[in-house]
Amino acid sequence: MAEETDQTAANEANICDDTTGEDEDDSTLLRRMEISIAEAEKRGGKNAVNMQETFTVYLVETRPTDAAEGHNQAPDSLWRRYSEFELLRNYLIVTYPFIVVPPLPEKRAEFVWHKLSADNMDPDFVERRRVGLENFLLRVASHPVLSNDRILYHFLTEEHGWKEVVYETGFQAKADSRLRALSATFRRVADRLYGVYKVHGNYGRVFSEWSAIEKEMGDGLQSAGHHMDAYAASIDDILEEEEHYADQLKEYLFYAEALRAVCRKHELTQFELEVASQDLISKKQQREELATGIVRTFSFKGMTNKLFGQEAPEQREARLKLLEELITEGEEAVKEKTLECDEHVERAWVDMQRFKEQKDKDLREALINYAVMQISMCKKGIQVWNNAKDCFLKM
């Protein structure tokens, strides 16, 4: 428990360092409130179709920072399911299209050694997901914009009724269709590593059986087999450490979807601006043709006038008046879309720069630690084979 508390404090400190600007730091929710996910609990119940299901809930604890410094006030707590975290993140993505919203940890086990049991209630997996969910809350609560959203505050402080508040915002009607992408690169590397280690277990069995046949070399083969068995068994401990770095890397792989969502919103706004501009140009051209009587492009109305004569002055004046009104509305629409597009680019650029600094810092640390771990693994592998070689030389 002490280790988990230290890790949580370290995570919070790192996230606070990632926010840019002293004033922005002071305004974030994380400066005013301690946030943690204290534990996870397995529960059972009935789902929407009245079928029995088993699920995990997470205890979210919050406490004002001033109370934490001056008094031993007990934290407020409430239970949340993973699906509620998903709802919160989907709301943030739709409501803040210019912001790179932090990702959630994976909902299901993705590694081959987890799929062997296919148990998403595995305590180790649940613990990793608890840490990932806590990290998500800390990142959102440290963001200068997201941390001040009232829905986030409801999520952290109101156990009942917060979903209704979310749906009342109508965010689902504004939600863009999203493609979820998961990179399989890291999983393939880890799965391959898992296979390599287990091959050494096969070597151990071969040497053991061989030692029963070759009596004179029996001791050497048996010792070599023992080294191979020990090396194959060590993969379990290594994978636990590897998964820690995998979670850090996958978090930024998941961030790719958030970045695409920000870019897609810009593309949509730019398209709407182009449509409004083209419509305004068309209306102005119609006004010019109606005022001068010169038709520069083919139109059904122009052909009708040539066949049946020009329309009456009163009709022309009415059409000119209507076109003027439409042009005024079109100019306002173009102005509004231009401002919306410029604002989105400006605010998205600021947040992407903040995200880039955070990403560079986190990934640099994670990749250095991962490289150190790989070097240690290679040294251990070399030592195992040197020990096996010594066994062979003694035969």
Side-chain angles (χ1 to χ4, degrees):
M1 181 62 69
E3 293 179 358
E4 292 178 7
T5 304
D6 294 341
Q7 182 63 43
T8 300
N11 289 340
E12 182 173 333
N14 289 337
I15 291 170
C16 290
D17 291 340
D18 289 337
T19 53
T20 56
E22 184 177 351
D23 294 338
E24 290 181 342
D25 279 351
D26 292 338
S27 68
T28 62
L29 183 61
L30 198 58
R31 290 289 186 180
R32 308 189 301 272
M33 176 186 289
E34 284 187 355
I35 302 171
S36 66
I37 298 182
E39 60 179 288
E41 183 178 293
K42 182 178 177 181
R43 290 185 182 178
K46 292 186 177 181
N47 56 24
V49 292
N50 204 33
M51 295 182 63
Q52 196 70 25
E53 67 170 345
T54 302
F55 54 88
T56 305
V57 290
Y58 301 88
L59 183 62
V60 179
E61 292 187 345
T62 57
R63 180 169 53 188
T65 53
D66 54 356
E69 293 172 359
H71 308 85
N72 292 324
Q73 176 181 336
D76 295 325
S77 61
L78 49 80
W79 294 94
R80 294 286 186 223
R81 295 185 60 174
Y82 184 92
S83 59
E84 294 181 272
F85 285 87
E86 287 184 310
L87 178 59
L88 173 64
R89 184 172 185 272
N90 289 337
Y91 160 79
L92 294 175
I93 289 174
V94 174
T95 307
Y96 302 95
F98 51 87
I99 285 179
V100 182
V101 179
L104 292 171
E106 60 191 356
K107 187 173 184 177
R108 297 176 178 82
E110 296 291 343
F111 288 86
V112 66
W113 52 90
H114 283 154
K115 291 180 181 178
L116 294 176
S117 63
D119 182 11
N120 290 325
M121 296 296 174
D122 177 75
D124 292 335
F125 176 74
V126 171
E127 171 60 18
R128 288 173 49 226
R129 192 164 60 179
R130 183 199 66 79
V131 173
L133 291 173
E134 181 178 88
N135 193 44
F136 165 77
L137 289 181
L138 293 175
R139 288 193 183 280
V140 172
S142 68
H143 192 281
V145 176
L146 300 180
S147 65
N148 293 304
D149 187 277
R150 68 184 183 92
I151 300 296
L152 172 64
Y153 189 78
H154 277 291
F155 178 89
L156 294 171
T157 58
E158 303 291 336
E159 184 160 13
H160 304 291
W162 87 274
K163 287 185 180 180
E164 289 73 11
V165 177
V166 175
Y167 291 130
E168 286 174 2
T169 64
F171 84 98
Q172 288 178 308
K174 300 180 291 184
D176 299 326
S177 60
R178 304 191 306 275
L179 296 177
R180 297 188 177 274
L182 288 176
S183 173
T185 303
F186 193 87
R187 293 203 305 273
R188 287 198 300 268
V189 172
D191 290 347
R192 189 179 302 116
L193 178 66
Y194 178 76
V196 168
Y197 271 73
K198 290 308 178 184
V199 164
H200 285 74
N202 295 334
Y203 290 156
R205 287 192 295 273
V206 169
F207 290 151
S208 179
E209 294 175 3
W210 193 1
S211 66
I213 299 173
E214 299 288 346
K215 300 298 183 182
E216 294 181 359
M217 301 187 298
D219 292 341
L221 291 171
Q222 192 71 30
S223 298
H226 173 73
H227 290 304
M228 295 298 170
D229 288 337
Y231 188 61
S234 68
I235 185 59
D236 297 325
D237 294 332
I238 292 173
L239 288 179
E240 289 184 8
E241 185 177 358
E242 180 129 346
E243 285 174 1
H244 171 69
Y245 301 119
D247 287 341
Q248 293 178 294
L249 295 177
K250 283 190 291 184
E251 179 185 20
Y252 281 96
L253 291 177
F254 298 154
Y255 259 123
E257 172 59 22
L259 290 169
R260 281 196 294 270
V262 174
C263 295
R264 282 199 300 269
K265 181 59 179 178
H266 173 257
E267 292 173 356
L268 177 61
T269 306
Q270 183 66 35
F271 174 74
E272 292 173 346
L273 172 60
E274 292 172 0
V275 170
S277 300
Q278 190 61 42
D279 184 64
L280 178 60
I281 292 172
S282 176
K283 291 293 190 299
K284 288 182 176 180
Q285 184 176 331
Q286 293 178 41
R287 181 184 63 179
E288 181 183 355
E289 292 175 354
L290 189 59
T292 62
I294 302 174
V295 180
R296 298 186 178 184
T297 59
F298 173 80
S299 67
F300 181 76
K301 186 67 178 177
M303 182 61 68
T304 302
N305 290 339
K306 288 184 178 181
L307 293 174
F308 302 103
Q310 296 291 335
E311 58 190 350
E314 295 82 3
Q315 293 176 314
R316 191 160 63 91
E317 287 299 324
R319 286 190 62 213
L320 277 172
K321 183 179 179 180
L322 178 60
L323 280 172
E324 289 292 349
E325 294 176 355
L326 293 175
I327 288 173
T328 300
E329 293 176 0
E331 288 174 341
E332 288 297 322
V334 169
K335 182 179 179 181
E336 179 183 341
K337 288 298 177 184
T338 300
L339 290 175
E340 182 181 350
C341 191
D342 292 343
E343 181 183 14
H344 180 83
V345 170
E346 181 180 356
R347 299 178 74 177
W349 178 254
V350 170
D351 197 67
M352 284 189 175
Q353 288 297 108
R354 182 198 66 82
F355 168 74
K356 182 178 182 299
E357 293 175 3
Q358 168 193 304
K359 172 182 67 68
D360 291 347
K361 176 179 178 295
D362 290 350
L363 289 185
R364 183 183 300 110
E365 180 180 352
L367 292 174
I368 289 175
N369 291 335
Y370 182 74
V372 171
M373 185 199 73
Q374 292 287 342
I375 293 172
S376 176
M377 288 166 47
C378 291
K379 288 181 177 179
K380 186 171 184 179
I382 292 173
Q383 184 62 47
V384 165
W385 278 100
N386 281 333
N387 292 339
K389 183 182 70 174
D390 292 341
C391 294
F392 298 148
L393 293 175
K394 293 177 181 178
M395 293 181 188

